[in-house]
Amino acid sequence: MREPNMSKDLIIVESPAKVKTISKFLGKNFIVDASVGHVRDLPTRDLGVDEENDFAPRYEIIQGKEDVVKRLQAAAKKADTVFLAPDPDREGEAIAWHVAELLKPVNDKIRRIQFNEITSRAVKEALENAQELNEDLFDSQQARRILDRLVGYKISPILWKNVKRGISAGRVQSVALKILVEREKERRAFRADEYWPFKVLLEGGNPPPFWLDLHKLAGKAVKPGVNHVGNQGEAEKLQNALETGEFKVDSVQEKQRKRNPLPPYITSTLQQDANRRMGYSAKRTMSIAQRLYEGVELGKRGTTALITYMRTDSVRIAKDAQDAAKELILDRFGADYYPPKPRQFKTKGGAQDAHEAIRPVDVTITPDDVKSYLPSEQHKLYRLIWQRFVASQMAVATFWDTTVLVTAPETIWRAKGERLLFAGFLAAMDKASSDDDTELPKLHEGDVLALNELKKEQKFTQPPPRYSEASLVKTLEELGIGRPSTYAAIISTLLDREYARQEEKRFVPTELGFTVSDKLGEHFQALMDVGFTAQMEGMLDAVAEGKKDWKDLLKHFGDDFYPTLEKARTEMARSQQVTDINCENCGKPMAIKFGKTGEFLGCTGFPGCRTIKNFTRDEQGAIQVVEREKPEETGVLCEKCGRPMAIKQSRRGEFLGCTGYPDCKSIVNFKRDENGKIQVVESEKPEVVGTCPDCGGELLLKKARTGSRFIACSNYPDCTYAAPFSTGVPCPKEGCEGELVEKSSRRGKLFYSCSTYPKCDYAVWNWPVNEPCPKCEHPILTRKTTKDKGEHIACPKKGCGYTRPVEDE
């Protein structure tokens, strides 16, 4: 037993959200704090790698993390032992390593703990089994970081010079881009093939009539693009033969079929299913899963972690979790729904088996139990994970399958029937209904069937589909590109760099993406080779397992990279894809160019001719010029030069711009009245709210592009003082000295968060009211508007439910 006057142990986790969850498990002898992610990294303004000295990295404290580091050092100085508990993966090990390096000068009693789930048992077991930091795992992450830095810093300037200023290359992202570009090239090269699918509705001696598909033609299997009926003439000839011919049952096959459950989720399969079923991006899925892993408020249960660690490629399940699942299945569904022995799933070769599969921490907490406490997206994802895990431990589902083959002139037809005999694991997945059963009538070999209806239609073969997030993640996983923790970042990077865009939830590479991929493929063949990238991932895994030295890996990479880099610097040509479209003003050919707002056609006679055109591409990749619409007559004259104002478009929407641009750059906002007539909107004069503490000028209340308000000095740009707009409401988080300020998300949605972020991450979506909740005593209320209640006062704490009308204010 620790004496009362002895110092406490310090536990440092990665995320502030975990602090509250873990603190409730431990006694007063522990202090829990957060590093808020990484605290050190390579410098942002230079390479930060000594290439001549075994690629020695130079790390710096990340800008904005100085206060976090000082706080952790102060806590470590007072602590007996420091336990580092970031996430149990490469990135988590790197965070732990860097925190340790910063804390060693004040306390060298540092231990590493890891847990796959945030429960009292798991955390206490981790403390009892504390270990040294895993140097091999850190070296693997360090090598990956240096590889990515070398590729980005060395290749990007070459792309700036020859493609577009400000773009960048990535070691793994560039290969993912190549996958998208190659698929788009396949689509453009594709030529549609006509085909005519047939269906017949036949009826025997027993009801009901049933549909059959054309299975074979002239003895060969039929499918789109293979041995199909190819034109209208052939289709009509076959139709005539069938309408006068005989349909006779050739065979009836009946058998029982078993269907096994899938293993519990790993990172990639969770991302794929969440995308297919709910439309969630990989990034959104991982963000939601992070919340479920770190802990959510569940009423009387308090802050509770719902799922195990969500970055894993192992399907292994702990025995106690299997036992808990067995007990639930027997109690909830019955003995018939549990298999003869517990199910074991085999993790694929090359996967990291350090963690379990993604599963509920406590399987007895059902999705229905937590529905009232969770936002919709969290509940949907937890339901997905819970159902998949429970189903994975259940008995097989059994079906009765019937396959009927019917002969007719020149053809064989096929129908399949399916009847669910026993739901098995489907009972846990809301798929046990027999509504989808397709039963065929009782038939016998040799039965002659009547033709009730014949359907045929003209169709055309389709090009290979573009990648969705689900199919791209699946492809990356199959090819060994990246790791589970990187898929979301890879996809986000492609979109953020505007190398690809999404149309109907499918990835379409942009002109910039095509150009970058082709340039890199031409000059950096190894880097863009899928096999080489997968091999590099394997080598990084070998470093993590202590089988390979990280410095040797980097030297091996450099043997090909540096000569290729030097060659590319001299041989990569300036990108100018000249088209066969001629300039309407000077007759010279137009070329594809890249600007701040995207690609466009620019005259090759620039700067003598400045003609530009917007364009699109058709399905075959041919360029289609988009003609500009004639400017709408506004009837508004420019106040500065007297010339007409025209409606123009920017990223922020429509505005009135002077037709004398670029000589006159006057712009104004506008709106339309009920008759559609344009009305100029006069800009509001900013409200004066105080005196600037830096220069003594007036402080003005302004609005940012995203919609949130902020305070700025009237003497800008000479004085750059600025601050978020404060609500005047203190942050309700215990021990926090900040106040809630107005901010806006990337999509322009307002929210109110603590002024000390990232030290404190408290935030609410609605305007805060400085008054405690009379029901649960939460320190603040909020003013919100909903469809059913209109504007009202509500408690922001999940599970409380307190509201009152605004009229009472």
Side-chain angles (χ1 to χ4, degrees), residues 385-397:
I385 293 167
W386 188 91
Q387 289 183 341
R388 176 79 166 236
F389 170 68
V390 173
S392 75
Q393 299 302 297
M394 293 178 69
V396 297

Side-chain angles (χ1 to χ4, degrees), residues 587-807:
K588 293 181 180 179
M590 306 284 280
I592 297 175
K593 299 186 177 183
F594 304 106
K596 292 181 179 179
T597 56
E599 60 264 10
F600 62 93
L601 294 179
C603 182
T604 53
F606 179 86
C609 179
R610 296 175 178 266
T611 302
I612 61 172
K613 294 277 187 181
N614 291 325
F615 73 96
T616 59
R617 288 189 186 267
D618 61 19
E619 285 293 317
Q620 282 69 48
I623 291 175
Q624 307 289 326
V625 174
V626 177
E627 297 295 340
R628 292 184 180 180
E629 296 181 4
K630 187 178 179 180
E632 180 182 345
E633 294 291 336
T634 64
V636 179
L637 298 180
C638 176
E639 291 184 351
K640 293 183 178 179
C641 69
R643 282 177 279 202
M645 304 285 278
I647 297 176
K648 298 187 178 183
Q649 186 80 28
S650 74
R651 292 183 177 181
R652 296 166 60 190
E654 291 184 326
F655 65 94
L656 295 183
C658 182
T659 54
Y661 179 86
D663 298 326
C664 179
K665 298 182 180 180
S666 177
I667 62 171
V668 292
N669 293 323
F670 74 95
K671 64 179 180 180
R672 296 181 185 272
D673 61 18
E674 294 179 354
N675 300 317
K677 188 175 180 181
I678 289 174
Q679 304 286 332
V680 173
V681 177
E682 299 293 340
S683 299
E684 295 182 8
K685 188 176 181 180
E687 178 185 352
V688 178
V689 294
T691 302
C692 177
D694 289 352
C695 71
E698 293 180 333
L699 285 181
L700 305 178
L701 180 61
K702 294 187 174 184
K703 183 175 284 190
R705 289 184 179 184
T706 51
S708 61
R709 293 169 290 181
F710 67 98
I711 308 297
C713 182
S714 60
N715 290 329
Y716 179 85
D718 297 326
C719 177
T720 58
Y721 177 83
F725 177 69
S726 175
T727 64
V729 177
C731 177
K733 203 163 188 177
E734 187 176 350
C736 181
E737 298 179 355
E739 58 186 10
L740 300 183
V741 297
E742 186 172 281
K743 294 186 180 180
S744 53
S745 67
R746 289 183 178 180
R747 298 184 178 180
K749 186 175 181 180
L750 293 179
F751 66 97
Y752 306 90
S753 68
C754 183
S755 58
T756 65
Y757 179 85
K759 181 179 178 181
C760 173
D761 63 351
Y762 184 87
V764 290
W765 284 112
N766 301 290
W767 180 267
V769 177
N770 191 13
E771 177 188 338
C773 174
K775 182 178 178 181
C776 71
E777 298 183 353
H778 187 67
I780 67 166
L781 297 171
T782 59
R783 190 182 185 112
K784 63 188 296 185
T785 302
T786 59
K787 289 183 180 180
D788 55 338
K789 295 183 180 180
E791 191 173 18
H792 61 283
I793 303 297
C795 179
K797 187 175 181 180
K798 288 184 177 66
C800 174
Y802 172 79
T803 64
R804 71 165 181 261
V806 171
E807 286 73 22

